[in-house]
Amino acid sequence: MTRTSPLSIILCFLASSAALAQDPITDVGFAPVTSNPDVDLVVVRERSYGAGGVDLTAYGIGTAPVDFVQSIYLRLNKEGGNGSTGFRAKVTFPVGVEILGVITDEADLGGSADDGLLTGTDDVFGLGPAQADNYSAPSRGLESGDHYCLVSTNVLYVQPTITNDVDDLRIIIDYGTSFPVDLTFDIESADASVPSVESLSVGMQIGDGGVPGSGDGGEARGQIGIPLTAAVASTEGTGFLLDPVDTVYLARDNGAATLDAFDTTQGFVVPGIMRVSTPANGSAFTNGPSGYLYPIGFATGAGYFDVVNSDSVSRPLSDDLPGQTMGATGDGGSTNLWLTRDRSNGNSHIDRVRASNMNIQQSFAIDDALLPTPVGIVNASDGMLYVLGQTGELIQFDPQNETITTVWSSGQADYTEIARNGAGSMLFLLRDNGVNSTVDFFDVASSMGTIGTASFGEVRPMAIAMGPDAMLHVVGDGFAGQNLTHWILDPASGAAVSETACTNLEGSFFGVASFSPPGVGTSYCGPAIANSSGRSAFLRANGSGVAGESLHLSAWALPRDQFGFFLVAQGNGVLFPVPQSQGRLCLLGGDIGRYNSASQIQNTGTIGRFFLDIDTGALPMNPETAAMAGETWNFQAWYRDDNPMTTSNFTDATALTFQ
């Protein structure tokens, strides 16, 4: 028998414990400029401080020295040529590594002159005097209009746009009570163009070589697995894009209507993706006809955002009616918007507006005794319009019979907006009680209201909407130096799920809405079984619906870079399971036509969707068949997937009765 002494056991234990810690990697240098033709992001893993700690209170971080911390330095250099250069990046650290603070002030960062001296946090975290002049630049930090958003304790979104020299910042991270081994972080990136179609290639350079993970990453869409305490090589990222069906859109007034976006799948805000010159003084925001998002001004201005094609248009309201527009909603159809208007010296109104030209078609007065000050309007699942008053009055407007009825009064005050639960019967009433932001619930099916179902932080709440993630999204004007706070709430329990805070977003928020793809016909057989993207794919048909005319088919929420094609049939039966598929076929009960010629097979690409214009006078049946008025034809898309093995799946289906 071999005996082991207690001392040997202790020494082995200590050796094992030591193996569980590893000082963070520090780059030996970095390139102060990068090569043309496009902007590159320079990433530097700077000095770290262990158990001894470092005092950062002079820079607004902590109230005492902090230990086991490191700085990650990001620098964006203006390239040759004129004009501004932009960049978007999502920086994700491992769970357990916390972002203590972000240093963006020019003086706090360090020197501006090539004098060989290190000042500010260049001196605290920089790579040493030999790199001093690499840090310096005449203009440093983030400029006016640059943004960063703390998505969570370990995720940061940053969007610098360079007009002067250099944009740079330091991210101070806290490892906890030690430096754990095998840690890496990710940077997913895109250039500053609107990332709703595809993330364009951008460059990234990590240090200047000599340590794990350093070197020129080339024209990549980010780097995944950049070593912190792990001796591994990073890999090229895929970047990020905004798929409209996964996005909640935030409307901000900064002299014009500016559109920000919150990606529900990745959990971060992308500021300033589009802008429209009117309205100024925005007061209402809604989705509506054609799948557009409509910002409306207090008085005469209006516009729309086409988030699929990255287009925006300004339009005046055709009638300069007295009072101020306080709320807007679509009507669930393809033509109208409904606005609610406040008149301080008379009855408030509900206005029906044709969305295509913003002509006001009809106006309906609301007796001041019923609702003196409207703040929002919503089209509910029962086909009625509901208007909320600032002091808790809720009225129902029947657009068919043109009648107005009071359905509830909460007895509370300071309401700001109203939203609906998709196809459900619940309405959500947002208010600011001066201590916490609060959401009250009202069920249109039972006509019952509930006070204070959701209560969360004081953010001066401005707007609320149901998102594509089936969560409530609330935006407020922020607090403590932030000018956006975005909350996600669980509509079932009212619990706050997450919070995102952004800085340096100019203006104030006046609306939040989700994209609703337009379509003709009736969807059925949904939601489809989720694919590898985690989403349920769906189909939309657009066109006149007249037999013999063209029809535009689109399939949404598909996995990236997969092939697929559209199907057509008169049967609408369901087959499940389908051999070699994870989805449901919803066209059973007769022949099925396939749009699978070489020119008709589609690829989902990086946007996860595909489209096809079809001739309804030549449906691909055997023999070829023309759709006739009065006939109902059903459409579905079939696509490949890797989930995780090679398989296939289906969208939901759309039934269209031709005219």
Side-chain angles (χ1 to χ4, degrees):
M1 175 185 294
T2 301
R3 297 183 180 274
T4 304
S5 71
L7 179 60
S8 297
I9 295 174
I10 293 171
L11 290 174
C12 289
F13 174 77
L14 290 175
S16 299
S17 298
L20 297 178
Q22 170 67 51
D23 286 345
I25 293 169
T26 302
D27 284 304
V28 296
F30 67 94
V33 296
T34 55
S35 58
N36 287 327
D38 65 355
V39 65
D40 285 352
L41 180 67
V42 174
V43 181
V44 185
R45 294 160 296 179
E46 296 186 303
R47 292 169 56 191
S48 60
Y49 292 83
V54 60
D55 189 348
L56 300 175
T57 56
Y59 306 103
I61 297 176
T63 57
V66 289
D67 55 12
F68 298 102
V69 296
Q70 185 181 18
S71 167
I72 304 299
Y73 178 68
L74 303 184
R75 180 185 182 100
L76 203 59
N77 301 292
K78 186 174 176 60
E79 302 292 351
N82 298 317
S84 62
T85 304
F87 198 94
R88 305 173 188 267
K90 177 190 176 188
V91 186
T92 304
F93 295 100
V95 174
V97 175
E98 181 179 349
I99 299 172
L100 286 183
V102 182
I103 297 174
T104 63
D105 179 77
E106 183 173 14
D108 288 347
L109 284 165
S112 59
D114 288 345
D115 53 12
L117 300 177
L118 291 170
T119 61
T121 51
D122 286 347
D123 187 35
V124 179
F125 289 105
L127 300 184
Q131 299 292 318
D133 290 348
N134 284 348
Y135 283 110
S136 64
S139 175
R140 295 181 61 182
L142 295 187
E143 306 170 44
S144 175
D146 293 343
H147 318 293
Y148 74 85
C149 302
L150 188 61
V151 177
S152 64
T153 58
N154 67 313
V155 180
L156 182 80
Y157 173 87
V158 61
Q159 182 178 323
T161 302
I162 308 172
T163 55
N164 297 304
D165 203 33
V166 165
D167 279 3
D168 59 346
L169 69 151
R170 281 193 169 89
I171 308 171
I172 311 303
I173 58 175
D174 184 354
Y175 286 84
T177 57
S178 67
F179 292 127
V181 298
D182 297 329
L183 296 184
T184 63
F185 72 107
D186 304 332
I187 299 181
E188 298 165 271
S189 57
D191 78 350
S193 61
V194 179
S196 60
V197 178
E198 183 176 0
S199 298
L200 300 180
S201 178
V202 290
M204 186 175 299
Q205 193 161 310
I206 303 170
D208 66 351
V211 297
S214 61
D216 190 343
E219 297 301 301
R221 298 188 180 101
Q223 293 290 317
I224 305 300
I226 303 170
L228 288 170
T229 60
V232 297
S234 59
T235 59
E236 183 176 338
T238 59
F240 60 83
L241 58 90
L242 293 175
D243 190 326
V245 299
D246 295 323
T247 303
V248 173
Y249 293 94
L250 319 176
R252 176 165 47 101
D253 178 19
N254 61 348
T258 297
L259 194 65
D260 304 323
F262 178 81
D263 186 326
T264 62
T265 62
Q266 301 192 65
F268 62 91
V269 174
V270 181
I273 66 167
M274 275 189 280
R275 180 182 171 95
V276 64
S277 58
T278 60
N281 301 316
S283 61
F285 184 56
T286 185
N287 53 30
S290 302
Y292 297 160
L293 302 176
Y294 295 83
I296 313 293
F298 272 119
T300 59
Y304 71 76
F305 295 108
D306 177 354
V307 295
V308 175
N309 299 302
S310 302
D311 187 23
S312 58
V313 172
S314 299
R315 294 193 186 281
L317 284 172
S318 62
D319 299 279
D320 187 8
L321 299 176
Q324 298 177 330
T325 298
M326 302 301 295
T329 186
D331 67 354
S334 60
T335 305
N336 297 320
L337 299 175
W338 291 92
L339 313 181
T340 183
R341 180 163 39 95
D342 176 29
R343 293 186 62 191
S344 58
N345 60 349
N347 292 332
S348 300
H349 282 71
I350 298 171
D351 301 319
R352 182 169 64 87
V353 177
R354 185 174 294 278
S356 60
N357 56 16
M358 300 308 291
N359 285 333
I360 295 177
Q361 307 295 298
Q362 287 178 287
S363 290
F364 305 91
I366 307 172
D367 193 319
D368 252 359
L370 297 180
L371 190 142
T373 308
V375 295
I377 184 171
V378 68
N379 173 41
S381 58
D382 59 0
M384 302 295 177
L385 295 167
Y386 289 81
V387 182
L388 175 64
Q390 186 178 33
T391 49
E393 308 87 354
L394 185 65
I395 67 164
Q396 179 196 81
F397 175 68
D398 182 343
Q400 299 297 320
N401 298 310
E402 300 179 3
T403 57
I404 294 176
T405 308
T406 298
V407 293
W408 191 51
S409 182
S410 71
Q412 306 297 310
D414 297 320
Y415 285 90
T416 60
E417 184 62 284
I418 183 171
R420 61 177 280 185
N421 182 18
S425 62
M426 198 66 70
L427 303 182
F428 306 101
L429 287 59
L430 179 65
R431 61 185 168 93
D432 182 0
N433 67 11
V435 178
N436 290 309
S437 303
T438 303
V439 181
D440 303 328
F441 287 18
F442 181 81
D443 189 341
V444 300
S446 64
S447 295
M448 298 291 292
T450 306
I451 299 292
T453 306
S455 183
F456 51 102
E458 171 57 44
V459 296
R460 293 190 291 276
M462 304 302 293
I464 184 171
M466 180 68 72
D469 53 355
M471 293 290 181
L472 286 171
H473 292 256
V474 178
V475 292
D477 272 347
F479 54 92
Q482 300 156 353
N483 56 357
L484 164 66
T485 302
H486 168 245
W487 286 83
I488 300 178
L489 309 177
D490 182 344
S493 65
V497 175
S498 69
E499 175 190 4
T500 299
C502 293
T503 63
N504 209 25
L505 297 182
E506 299 173 347
S508 60
F509 289 86
F510 64 90
V512 55
S514 297
F515 167 70
S516 180
V520 296
T522 302
S523 296
Y524 71 96
C525 202
I529 295 172
N531 55 46
S532 61
S533 74
R535 304 175 297 176
S536 297
F538 61 92
L539 181 144
R540 289 291 185 269
N542 289 96
S544 66
V546 174
E549 295 188 0
S550 65
L551 192 67
H552 180 74
L553 301 179
S554 56
W556 301 73
L558 305 173
R560 293 184 183 185
D561 298 316
Q562 296 288 351
F563 289 97
F565 54 84
F566 292 101
L567 307 172
V568 60
Q570 288 193 290
N572 62 1
V574 177
L575 175 64
F576 183 81
V578 178
Q580 299 183 22
S581 179
Q582 296 176 337
R584 290 186 294 264
L585 175 64
C586 305
L587 307 180
L588 206 62
D591 293 337
I592 298 177
R594 304 184 181 201
Y595 290 94
N596 62 351
S597 69
S599 63
Q600 294 170 333
I601 294 176
Q602 305 293 312
N603 188 286
T604 63
T606 60
I607 61 175
R609 58 182 183 266
F610 56 66
F611 317 91
L612 184 67
D613 291 316
I614 67 168
D615 180 0
T616 63
L619 302 177
M621 311 303 290
N622 188 15
E624 188 175 87
T625 302
M628 304 299 290
E631 291 181 345
T632 299
W633 287 85
N634 306 299
F635 301 89
Q636 192 174 18
W638 190 11
Y639 59 93
R640 289 183 182 177
D641 197 6
D642 295 312
N643 194 25
M645 73 291 292
T646 299
T647 183
S648 69
N649 207 330
F650 296 88
T651 63
D652 68 359
T654 292
L656 177 59
T657 301
F658 285 93
Q659 302 173 18

